[in-house]
Amino acid sequence: MNFRDIFEKIDSLYDRYVQVWEDVCNIESPTSHKAGVDAVSNYFIRMAEERGWKVEVCEQAVAGNAVCITMNPDAAGMPVSISGHMDTVHAVGSFGTPAVHRDAEKIYGPGVCDCKGGIVMGFLAMDALHQCGFRDRPVHLLLQSDEEVGSGISKKETIRFICEKAKDSVAFLNLEGSTPGEICLVRKGISNFIFTVTGKEAHSSKCATEGANAILEAAHKIIELEKIKDVDGLTCCCSVIEGGTLSNIVPGKCTFKANVRFANAEQLNWMREYTQKLAAQVFVPGCTTEVNKPGCRVAMEYCERNVQLLDKMNDIWETCGMSRCAMSKGTGGSDAAYVTAAGIPCVDNMGAWGGNNHSFDEFAYLSSLGEATKRIAAVLMNI
């Protein structure tokens, strides 16, 4: 078997998998809609069972179920894992009916790029290898169900399941939407800090002599937080605020959320200390502040293990007549961060070429179904 046979098989399956792409993206699956997320996983489970592949399900009561589909489970070679998430961000019905449409160049709709398109490409790569008789190693397709909220609904159980199933893999390809010629090896982590400011209510006509304005205190703190804007390091965006009761009452309560992105654990620890100091600082006499630090999504930190994996992949692609890819950095969170932290060689952004993720204009290029899938298949065969 050689790469030309695999690539020809991928080309022959193109029309079938464009329809699969459209089908699964028409199954609307916002993270909190368990029935929708499970409908997506069941679609792929049926396809896997038709091919005789092994299916394992991480059952969830509230989140969608995470799934591990394995081709060649008893093969002697070292396993390789590919993964994508099934959940999207918009409420059911937001895109109209049907949710997906396409033209000659692009497909549009929820998850076409982020990240169902990548799952379709991963499945197509496995199917082409299977049909061409590839039996050398186990290949895991790992389907995540609540990635968009940092695995928060499952209390991290789904991402633990994925890392456990992938633990012996020589490579882990995360199938987030991509840019041609770039592979992501570094991503920021995410943490949300919730500030609760308590002041003292009074009649607004006496605001100069009585009361303590909690909104004003929050405003001072927001200004300080919004100064944190390092593109390659810490950034802070104060994004949600609530406070006050009536226009003629000095606000006695205000809460706001600060979304923080960080490049490594050291920066996160600095931010945790800084927010405590800022909470203790009083700008408006009579106000007090508490800050809550919910769980965070870890950063995908730079490591030589991932660089070495990309070097090997580039050598494979060059042998197949494909161009090499450069390392890139991402500012958004990803499951690849947890996989990297677990010590598994990992690269990210191996999925559909597209853009406008998390918007009503999300799209992917139809041509990427062939091109990205061939890159995935070449690595699965040769890494």
Side-chain angles (χ1 to χ4, degrees):
M1 184 191 311
N2 57 56
F3 69 86
R4 292 184 182 86
D5 296 330
I6 303 300
F7 291 179
E8 288 176 4
K9 178 58 67 174
I10 290 170
D11 288 338
S12 74
L13 294 170
Y14 176 87
D15 289 340
R16 163 70 179 129
Y17 275 86
V18 167
Q19 189 58 56
V20 170
W21 197 353
E22 185 171 328
D23 287 347
V24 296
C25 293
N26 269 324
I27 303 171
E28 296 185 76
S29 54
T31 310
S32 59
H33 184 40
K34 176 176 171 59
V37 178
D38 288 346
V40 175
S41 66
N42 288 334
Y43 185 104
F44 288 109
I45 287 171
R46 286 192 297 271
M47 290 179 63
E49 290 176 340
E50 289 170 0
R51 290 155 178 78
W53 299 346
K54 181 180 178 180
V55 175
E56 299 168 90
V57 179
C58 179
E59 298 280 352
Q60 295 294 308
V62 181
N65 300 329
V67 178
C68 176
I69 293 170
T70 305
M71 180 179 80
N72 306 330
D74 300 319
M78 294 297 292
V80 175
S81 293
I82 56 180
S83 182
H85 64 89
M86 304 172 287
D87 59 323
T88 55
V89 298
H90 292 92
V92 172
S94 299
F95 285 77
T97 305
V100 178
H101 67 280
R102 50 185 158 112
D103 56 30
E105 182 183 18
K106 299 174 183 175
I107 183 169
Y108 307 83
V112 294
C113 185
D114 181 23
C115 174
K116 294 178 189 177
I119 296 173
V120 172
M121 292 167 190
F123 200 105
L124 170 54
M126 292 169 65
D127 196 9
L129 288 167
H130 178 77
Q131 292 192 39
C132 289
F134 179 78
R135 303 290 186 269
D136 295 353
R137 60 155 42 109
V139 178
H140 304 304
L141 173 60
L142 297 155
L143 306 181
Q144 170 63 305
S145 58
D146 58 345
E147 188 272 350
E148 291 290 5
V149 295
S151 306
I153 296 179
S154 66
K155 296 181 170 59
K156 305 291 186 184
E157 186 174 343
T158 54
I159 190 59
R160 287 195 296 268
F161 170 79
I162 284 171
C163 290
E164 173 63 24
K165 292 301 175 184
K167 65 181 180 181
D168 297 322
S169 297
V170 294
F172 187 108
L173 314 183
N174 205 41
L175 304 176
E176 291 279 0
S178 63
T179 299
E182 295 183 0
I183 300 296
C184 183
L185 299 188
V186 178
R187 280 187 176 273
K188 288 188 177 183
I190 306 171
S191 186
N192 289 299
F193 293 80
I194 302 173
F195 289 76
T196 301
V197 182
T198 302
K200 182 181 178 182
E201 288 190 347
H203 196 286
S204 60
S205 65
K206 299 181 179 180
C207 64
T209 56
E210 298 180 18
N213 192 322
I215 290 178
L216 179 58
E217 177 71 18
H220 281 286
K221 288 177 164 59
I222 289 170
I223 289 170
E224 295 303 310
L225 289 164
E226 285 287 335
K227 295 176 182 177
I228 301 172
K229 292 286 187 290
D230 181 353
V231 173
D232 293 320
L234 279 167
T235 62
C236 181
C237 175
C238 296
S239 51
V240 179
I241 185 168
E242 298 178 358
T245 54
L246 296 171
S247 62
N248 61 351
I249 297 176
V250 174
K253 184 80 73 175
C254 181
T255 62
F256 68 92
K257 296 180 181 179
N259 182 269
V260 173
R261 309 289 170 127
F262 55 93
N264 52 52
E266 182 180 2
Q267 291 179 3
L268 175 61
N269 290 334
W270 181 91
M271 193 68 193
R272 285 171 170 165
E273 293 178 5
Y274 175 75
T275 54
Q276 289 292 342
K277 293 177 182 176
L278 184 62
Q281 187 176 359
V282 177
F283 295 90
V284 178
C287 288
T288 59
T289 304
E290 294 182 355
V291 60
N292 180 35
K293 304 178 291 296
C296 71
R297 174 180 286 186
V298 299
M300 184 182 186
E301 299 189 31
Y302 177 91
C303 69
E304 285 299 323
R305 179 176 61 250
N306 292 350
V307 174
Q308 291 169 6
L309 173 57
L310 178 57
D311 287 342
K312 293 176 184 177
M313 291 166 56
N314 272 322
D315 290 343
I316 291 168
W317 292 331
E318 199 167 52
T319 300
C320 296
M322 295 178 170
S323 60
R324 300 176 73 89
C325 289
M327 183 191 89
S328 67
K329 299 179 180 180
T331 55
S334 165
D335 283 339
Y338 292 99
V339 175
T340 296
I344 303 165
C346 179
V347 297
D348 203 357
N349 289 83
M350 286 285 295
W353 302 343
N356 296 337
N357 298 352
H358 292 199
S359 80
F360 292 114
D361 299 316
E362 182 174 343
F363 74 93
Y365 292 100
L366 292 167
S367 61
S368 67
L369 179 63
E371 295 299 316
T373 299
K374 289 173 185 177
R375 288 185 178 272
I376 296 166
V379 173
L380 297 183
M381 260 191 2
N382 296 298
I383 196 70

